[in-house]
Amino acid sequence: MLCIWWVFIQLCETHTCIMSLQSDYHFEYTECDVLGSRWRVAVPNKADTCTGLPDPVKGTQCTFSCSEGEFLDMQSQQCQKCAAGTYSLGTSVAFDEWDSLPTSFVTHGVTTNGGDGHTDCSKLVHTVPLSTWTPKDDYIASNTDECTAVLSYAVSLKQPGTVSFEYFYPDNSIYFEFFVQNDQCQSTDSESRWMKTSENNWSKYRVDLNNGNNVLYWRTTGYTLQGSVVKPVLLRNIAISGVAYTSECFHCKPGTHSAKPGSARCAPCPADTYSTKGATVCHQCELDKYAEAGSGSCKPRPACTNSDYFYTHTPCDSEGKTRLMYKWIEPKICNETIEGAVSLPASGEKQTCPPCNPGFFVTNSSTCEPCTHGFYSNGTACAECPVGTEPVMGFEYKWWNTMPSNMKSSIYRREFTWEVAGEYVYTTPGDQDTDYMMLVLTVSGYRLPQSMAKDSERSELSRITFVFETTCTADCKFYFLAVSENNRFCHMYGSAPRNSPYAYLIQSNSTVTFTWTFKRTDEFNMERKYSGDVAKIYSIHITNVIGGVASQCRRCALSSANSACVPCPPGHYMVSGTGVCRRCSVNTFIRADQPVGEAACVQCGPNTRTNKAYSACLSDCTLDVQTRGGAPLHYDFSPLSNVTSFHSSPRFTTKGLRYFHHFNVGLCGKEGRVPATCVDNVTESGREVKGYVCQSTVVPSEIRSQSVVSSQPFLIGDSLVGVTTDTALSGISSPKWLFPSESSLPDVVFYYKSSETTQACKRGRSATIRLRCNPTVTAKDHITLPSNCSEGTCDGCSFHFLWESQHACPLCTKNHYREIVSACIQGIQKTTYVWQQPLQCYGGESLPAQKVSACVTLDFWLKFGVSTGTIAAVLLISISCYFWKKTRKLQYKYSKLMMSSGGKECELPTADSCAIMEGEDAEDDLMDLTKKPFFTKIKSFSRERTSDGFDSVPLKSSSLLHQRDEEDSDDA
């Protein structure tokens, strides 16, 4: 502050001081001090104004800023809203009007040839340097001579910000660079100071800025050839953010407006309206005038001509017809009602749709769709390529009813500048004659057909051919550009007759973008003076396109599995030279290296089955083994099917570096299994191999923040030969002495081989994985190497591994356990099941649960037997007595019968002396025997027994007779 007053005192001493008015000075802030404070001081606009200035006052804090739509009123030091018709970016400044060079911008020209040339870059034309940047209303243009033109702008930022701008840089004969320097003339960091050429539109560029002083430089240097014209670089819409505030609002430029106070930007006026500078509303043009969007004035509408409309075709309808449609060019600026104007032709005329392009077919809705892979078409219907042929892939466009899906047309401000017209595609009249109308086709890659791949050095990779025509009344230009990652090609035509061909060879397999661009004139004008100039493309043909369509099929030889030739169906082989396919036998696969001939069918190994594609044999991890004199064994190796990793014991180099041989194994699995993978993470190639068994060398290290470094991967087995208990299969052996075993259960061996050959292994490598049942091993990766071949191989070609696991045991069945029945205790008997020892199974059936059943003890049966015997004895005695009694009765009756017979032989008894039938005589009841008790009868019976051992049976009749005789003798 003292320095400022000292300056004022010096001015007063050397000049005549006068009183100052408010218009004679303006306010500024001093630099911020270490406390973040500053002062507002009045700075005179003229050197001799030094009295009557306001005293310095305390300013706002250095962190103070205004928002968008506001400006800082230095008199009150408060933010105020911008009035209607103006705008403010707050902490940014923008330059979008270039009717004159804005304040703080500086431009000058510099001679590039060291003063030896004839061009004077500092020469003035109408007090303006010749070789400078020149304002052109909406933009500022660079020089067009062999000079260096510099445009600079200095700005002080209170906080980090950005600078952005739009540029148009169409001519690479000018070098265009942009860079930023600080107040010490040191360039700030940036990716590249050299700007990229614009394709055909305005390009946007943005750079970050540091706080403090920044000087922005735009510099161009032209190099003209004899007879050539240099196109200038154009700049517009420069915006800088990071300033603390703006002390004034900017007026809206013509063609824009802001209706409300506090606007951050001005809105452009719509078409057919206009506005002047600082406008708050847009005004409608009169009926006979027009205005483009964002215009500052209206123009008279010219009479409509044939160049003010264009024609196109509608998509084909279900009847295969298309309509010819006429449309005015939008926005429509002509007047069809004034004298001499033409009217729009009537639309709707039906025409027959052109055919589909080759490789496409007509659908039921009359649209064109591409044929699927393996089919070809001439534009009507798709047909399958015969066996032994390959489709010729590419794109061929010669009929234009609709724009192809992989093509697009565009122009700055609008799209669809190229329209289809049946036999060709053409450029429609644009808004301006200086517009670049582009047609873009992108192709992702190229590949030679299989039949030509063997002679790839002499065969061209791809070729694009197109036929075109240009009609020009001015200096029109027709460009063809081919842009890829490593190449950029451009060819330019002027006026060209009908059916002019052009061909371009494609040398590398990379994505290429083909662009056809038409520009009617280089003159900068807003009128459509050359709308009748047109470019037409009749056909485009690109060969050997990956993902293209086929118009024909080419005969080829089926010599590789990667061939594009149409193969026989899965499981079939081709009869040599005939193209006839025959089915292979059951459970075979097709050899990839020989798909022709019956020898192509290879039988799958034991316990494997072919996949769906008939290209390999697989094991589903299940196995049934029939043992001698025993029940079959069932295996399920599914728990071991996941990729398993293990490594050998450590090795050491001559310098003491430790390393391992790391193995990855994918034992088995169904189709779609995850293969074992070994990678190389040391080199940039990142090579990896995939198969059943692979090996890599692993070095523990901290290189690249990795725990291990893997290198030198190679395949040991990429195909499964078979699964068996035999020790040899298809020339691959797995001797038992490598892994001795005392178990009677056979090992299951998986046999693999690899198609990769080396100088040491001319027949390729092989591997055997011997699975051994061990129920005590719970780990799934208990894999060991032979004791005498610690690296897994003894010859470097055949590898052997032993995998012990409980999952390598056969599934348990009923034959693997037995039952134990306990004694009957207190009426309960238990049945327990235990495994047979030694246990040689796992999984499968589990042990049944213990059974408990009711039972009867020996004491019970003894008691039951005695009781039953006693009852049986009593019953037997009772039966014996019963039959004895019956016998006595019969004896009595027999004796009586005999007595009644009188002792004469062969003389039948009389009727009254016959044996008395039961129930006939009641005298039986008089027997003494029947009258006595049971024991008395027994006693009597014993007495009546004679000396000869026979019983004397007293008969009732004889005793009575004897009594009577005695009585008669007594009487006598």
Side-chain angles (χ1 to χ4, degrees):
M1 185 177 66
L2 294 176
C3 294
I4 296 176
W5 282 109
W6 181 82
V7 171
F8 291 163
I9 293 173
Q10 295 297 320
L11 290 174
C12 291
E13 290 178 354
T14 57
H15 298 84
T16 302
C17 295
I18 59 175
M19 294 297 295
S20 62
L21 301 176
Q22 188 172 358
S23 59
D24 295 334
Y25 61 88
H26 64 277
F27 292 107
E28 290 185 5
Y29 281 122
T30 61
E31 294 291 336
C32 295
D33 57 21
V34 294
L35 299 178
S37 301
R38 56 186 174 183
W39 293 83
R40 189 202 69 179
V41 296
V43 178
N45 296 329
K46 298 180 180 180
D48 56 354
T49 304
C50 57
T51 59
L53 295 174
D55 295 334
V57 298
K58 188 76 172 181
T60 59
Q61 290 294 321
C62 292
T63 58
F64 174 84
S65 63
C66 293
S67 302
E68 291 183 346
E70 297 179 344
F71 72 99
L72 179 62
D73 182 8
M74 295 295 290
Q75 184 71 33
S76 62
Q77 299 193 72
Q78 298 293 328
C79 294
Q80 304 289 337
K81 286 187 176 182
C82 293
T86 62
Y87 73 97
S88 168
L89 299 177
T91 58
S92 302
V93 292
F95 304 95
D96 51 12
E97 288 187 81
W98 299 92
D99 49 355
S100 61
L101 195 66
T103 306
S104 300
F105 275 91
V106 178
T107 178
H108 61 277
V110 179
T111 303
T112 58
N113 52 17
D116 297 333
H118 302 285
T119 303
D120 184 4
C121 298
S122 60
K123 182 179 179 180
L124 299 180
V125 178
H126 303 295
T127 70
V128 177
L130 176 64
S131 301
T132 58
W133 289 77
T134 306
K136 299 284 187 179
D137 295 333
D138 292 334
Y139 56 86
I140 183 172
S142 69
N143 62 315
T144 58
D145 51 23
E146 292 184 343
C147 293
T148 297
V150 180
L151 178 68
S152 61
Y153 177 76
V155 61
S156 178
L157 302 184
K158 302 302 181 183
Q159 57 187 1
T162 61
V163 55
S164 62
F165 56 88
E166 297 180 9
Y167 70 93
F168 187 66
Y169 176 28
D171 193 349
N172 55 13
S173 60
I174 287 184
Y175 294 108
F176 176 38
E177 57 181 326
F178 170 76
F179 56 95
V180 182
Q181 291 183 346
N182 55 22
D183 51 2
Q184 303 298 322
C185 296
Q186 297 175 344
S187 297
T188 58
D189 295 334
S190 62
E191 294 182 1
S192 176
R193 63 193 296 170
W194 298 103
M195 308 300 292
K196 297 181 180 180
T197 56
S198 305
E199 291 294 338
N200 292 301
N201 294 325
W202 288 86
S203 301
K204 294 183 179 180
Y205 192 76
R206 182 179 180 273
V207 174
D208 295 331
L209 301 177
N210 299 324
N211 59 338
N213 295 324
N214 292 268
V215 182
L216 315 180
Y217 290 94
W218 293 267
R219 184 164 61 188
T220 60
T221 303
Y223 293 92
T224 59
L225 299 177
Q226 185 176 2
S228 63
V229 178
V230 178
K231 299 176 183 177
V233 176
L234 310 182
L235 288 179
R236 68 180 185 184
N237 296 336
I238 300 177
I240 303 170
S241 65
V243 298
Y245 58 87
T246 178
S247 57
E248 61 178 345
C249 295
F250 301 97
H251 291 281
C252 293
K253 66 178 182 178
T256 63
H257 71 288
S258 63
K260 298 180 180 179
S263 296
R265 58 191 53 85
C266 299
C269 292
D272 294 333
T273 62
Y274 72 98
S275 68
T276 57
K277 185 175 182 178
T280 58
V281 295
C282 296
H283 304 283
Q284 189 72 33
C285 292
E286 299 177 1
L287 294 178
D288 59 344
K289 294 182 179 181
Y290 75 98
E292 298 176 350
S295 298
S297 62
C298 297
K299 302 176 183 178
R301 293 184 181 271
C304 292
T305 64
N306 294 332
S307 299
D308 289 312
Y309 64 85
F310 65 95
Y311 60 93
T312 185
H313 288 265
T314 60
C316 294
D317 56 21
S318 58
E319 299 177 354
K321 299 291 184 180
T322 180
R323 294 179 181 271
L324 186 63
M325 305 296 295
Y326 293 92
K327 299 179 180 179
W328 292 111
I329 299 172
E330 297 295 339
K332 181 185 177 184
I333 63 173
C334 66
N335 190 345
E336 55 183 317
T337 60
I338 61 178
E339 184 179 358
V342 300
S343 300
L344 188 69
S347 299
E349 179 184 355
K350 281 192 173 184
Q351 298 179 352
T352 302
C353 283
C356 294
N357 285 308
F360 292 78
F361 69 98
V362 182
T363 64
N364 294 332
S365 58
S366 297
T367 60
C368 294
E369 295 291 337
C371 296
T372 57
H373 182 71
F375 288 76
Y376 69 100
S377 168
N378 60 357
T380 54
C382 297
E384 189 173 6
C385 287
V387 173
T389 64
E390 61 180 340
V392 181
M393 309 302 292
F395 286 121
E396 185 177 0
Y397 302 116
K398 60 181 181 180
W399 301 107
W400 305 89
N401 184 61
T402 57
M403 190 68 72
S405 59
N406 58 347
M407 297 180 69
K408 64 178 182 179
S409 64
S410 63
I411 192 176
Y412 179 66
R413 294 187 298 273
R414 72 185 183 95
E415 294 186 352
F416 306 113
T417 59
W418 292 73
E419 284 290 343
V420 294
E423 295 182 354
Y424 53 84
V425 59
Y426 74 106
T427 56
T428 61
D431 295 344
Q432 301 177 13
D433 292 339
T434 55
D435 287 336
Y436 286 87
M437 292 171 285
M438 297 175 293
L439 181 66
V440 180
L441 169 63
T442 303
V443 180
S444 58
Y446 314 89
R447 180 172 53 204
L448 283 173
Q450 184 66 27
S451 57
M452 302 172 60
K454 294 182 179 180
D455 197 18
S456 59
E457 294 183 358
R458 291 182 295 176
S459 301
E460 63 183 40
L461 179 62
S462 179
R463 176 191 295 262
I464 180 171
T465 306
F466 60 92
V467 178
F468 69 101
E469 174 190 2
T470 55
T471 303
C472 303
T473 58
D475 55 341
C476 71
K477 290 180 177 60
F478 182 71
Y479 298 92
F480 169 69
L481 290 86
V483 180
S484 62
E485 295 180 357
N486 303 320
N487 189 27
R488 180 185 178 91
F489 173 80
C490 179
H491 189 82
M492 184 185 69
Y493 276 92
S495 181
R498 181 184 175 93
N499 295 332
S500 297
Y502 185 80
Y504 172 72
L505 293 180
I506 301 167
Q507 304 293 341
S508 61
N509 181 19
S510 61
T511 301
V512 181
T513 300
F514 303 102
T515 305
W516 294 266
T517 304
F518 182 69
K519 185 179 182 181
R520 291 183 171 87
T521 182
D522 289 329
E523 296 180 9
F524 287 92
N525 61 77
M526 302 298 293
E527 300 179 0
R528 302 174 183 173
K529 298 169 58 177
Y530 308 106
S531 298
D533 294 356
V534 64
K536 299 179 181 179
I537 297 178
Y538 292 93
S539 65
I540 301 174
H541 186 203
I542 311 175
T543 62
N544 303 333
V545 177
I546 297 177
V549 294
S551 59
Q552 59 179 333
C553 297
R554 179 190 291 113
R555 177 64 61 180
C556 60
L558 283 171
S559 59
S560 173
N562 296 325
S563 172
C565 292
V566 177
C568 289
H572 293 69
Y573 69 93
M574 182 184 298
V575 180
S576 302
T578 62
V580 177
C581 296
R582 291 182 182 176
R583 178 179 291 277
C584 292
S585 58
V586 179
N587 205 27
T588 57
F589 68 96
I590 305 297
R591 292 180 55 181
D593 59 343
Q594 187 180 349
V596 179
E598 190 173 2
C601 303
V602 180
Q603 188 70 34
C604 287
N607 299 304
T608 61
R609 52 188 59 87
T610 184
N611 59 359
K612 294 180 180 179
Y614 294 86
S615 59
C617 294
L618 305 175
S619 169
D620 60 357
C621 299
T622 61
L623 179 66
D624 293 333
V625 176
Q626 185 67 41
T627 59
R628 295 180 180 178
L633 302 178
H634 305 281
Y635 292 86
D636 185 4
F637 305 120
S638 299
L640 307 177
S641 61
N642 294 332
V643 176
T644 304
S645 301
F646 63 98
H647 55 77
S648 65
S649 56
R651 301 286 183 272
F652 297 90
T653 64
T654 56
K655 296 183 178 180
L657 177 64
R658 185 178 61 161
Y659 67 94
F660 301 90
H661 290 312
H662 187 81
F663 300 92
N664 285 336
V665 174
L667 182 69
C668 55
K670 297 182 179 179
E671 202 159 359
R673 65 179 181 86
V674 178
T677 304
C678 296
V679 300
D680 180 1
N681 60 9
V682 178
T683 61
E684 296 181 355
S685 63
R687 178 175 175 265
E688 65 178 17
V689 294
K690 296 182 179 181
Y692 282 97
V693 186
C694 64
Q695 176 189 318
S696 59
T697 301
V698 173
V699 180
S701 173
E702 297 299 329
I703 298 176
R704 300 179 183 177
S705 302
Q706 297 176 358
S707 59
V708 295
V709 173
S710 176
S711 64
Q712 301 176 358
F714 64 89
L715 272 176
I716 301 175
D718 57 8
S719 61
L720 177 62
V721 178
V723 183
T724 180
T725 57
D726 297 335
T727 58
L729 179 65
S730 298
I732 307 173
S733 62
S734 177
K736 291 184 178 180
W737 56 265
L738 287 173
F739 304 103
S741 174
E742 298 179 357
S743 174
S744 60
L745 190 67
D747 295 336
V748 177
V749 185
F750 280 74
Y751 291 87
Y752 307 94
K753 68 177 181 179
S754 173
S755 57
E756 292 184 357
T757 60
T758 62
Q759 185 176 1
C761 305
K762 298 185 182 300
R763 300 180 59 185
R765 298 183 179 92
S766 63
T768 63
I769 300 179
R770 182 177 288 269
L771 298 181
R772 178 168 296 171
C773 174
N774 191 342
T776 62
V777 177
T778 58
K780 294 183 180 180
D781 55 352
H782 186 69
I783 304 177
T784 57
L785 304 176
S787 58
N788 57 341
C789 302
S790 58
E791 295 185 358
T793 178
C794 298
D795 58 2
C797 299
S798 300
F799 291 77
H800 306 279
F801 311 98
L802 174 64
W803 195 339
E804 294 182 271
S805 173
Q806 58 187 3
H807 299 291
C809 298
L811 300 178
C812 296
T813 62
K814 294 180 179 179
N815 298 324
H816 290 93
Y817 62 82
R818 60 188 178 89
E819 63 179 20
I820 300 176
V821 181
S822 66
C824 185
I825 301 174
Q826 297 181 356
I828 298 176
Q829 190 175 47
K830 297 181 179 179
T831 302
T832 306
Y833 298 89
V834 296
W835 294 111
Q836 299 280 4
Q837 295 299 328
L839 181 62
Q840 293 183 332
C841 70
Y842 183 79
E845 292 190 13
S846 57
L847 279 176
Q850 188 183 56
K851 293 183 180 179
V852 179
S853 60
C855 64
V856 180
T857 63
L858 182 60
D859 294 341
F860 172 80
W861 288 113
L862 183 59
K863 293 178 182 178
F864 179 76
V866 173
S867 300
T868 305
T870 303
I871 294 173
V874 172
L875 182 61
L876 182 59
I877 293 172
S878 300
I879 295 173
S880 299
C881 291
Y882 172 75
F883 283 106
W884 176 81
K885 181 179 180 182
K886 294 292 288 184
T887 304
R888 292 282 294 174
K889 286 184 179 181
L890 289 175
Q891 286 178 351
Y892 170 76
K893 291 179 181 181
Y894 177 74
S895 298
K896 187 176 180 181
L897 180 62
M898 292 299 293
M899 291 179 66
S900 62
S901 64
K904 295 180 180 180
E905 295 180 3
C906 299
E907 184 178 346
L908 295 174
T910 60
D912 58 351
S913 63
C914 292
I916 300 174
M917 303 302 292
E918 284 190 56
E920 291 183 357
D921 194 357
E923 292 181 355
D924 293 339
D925 298 334
L926 299 178
M927 293 179 59
D928 294 337
L929 184 61
T930 61
K931 300 297 185 176
K932 299 176 182 179
F934 176 74
F935 291 103
T936 304
K937 289 181 180 180
I938 295 175
K939 185 177 181 183
S940 299
F941 173 73
S942 63
R943 288 199 189 114
E944 293 175 357
R945 196 171 180 84
T946 61
S947 60
D948 56 2
F950 295 95
D951 296 338
S952 103
V953 179
L955 296 177
K956 180 180 180 182
S957 58
S958 62
S959 62
L960 289 177
L961 181 58
H962 179 69
Q963 289 179 3
R964 288 173 184 169
D965 290 342
E966 289 180 352
E967 288 177 357
D968 290 342
S969 64
D970 290 342
D971 291 337

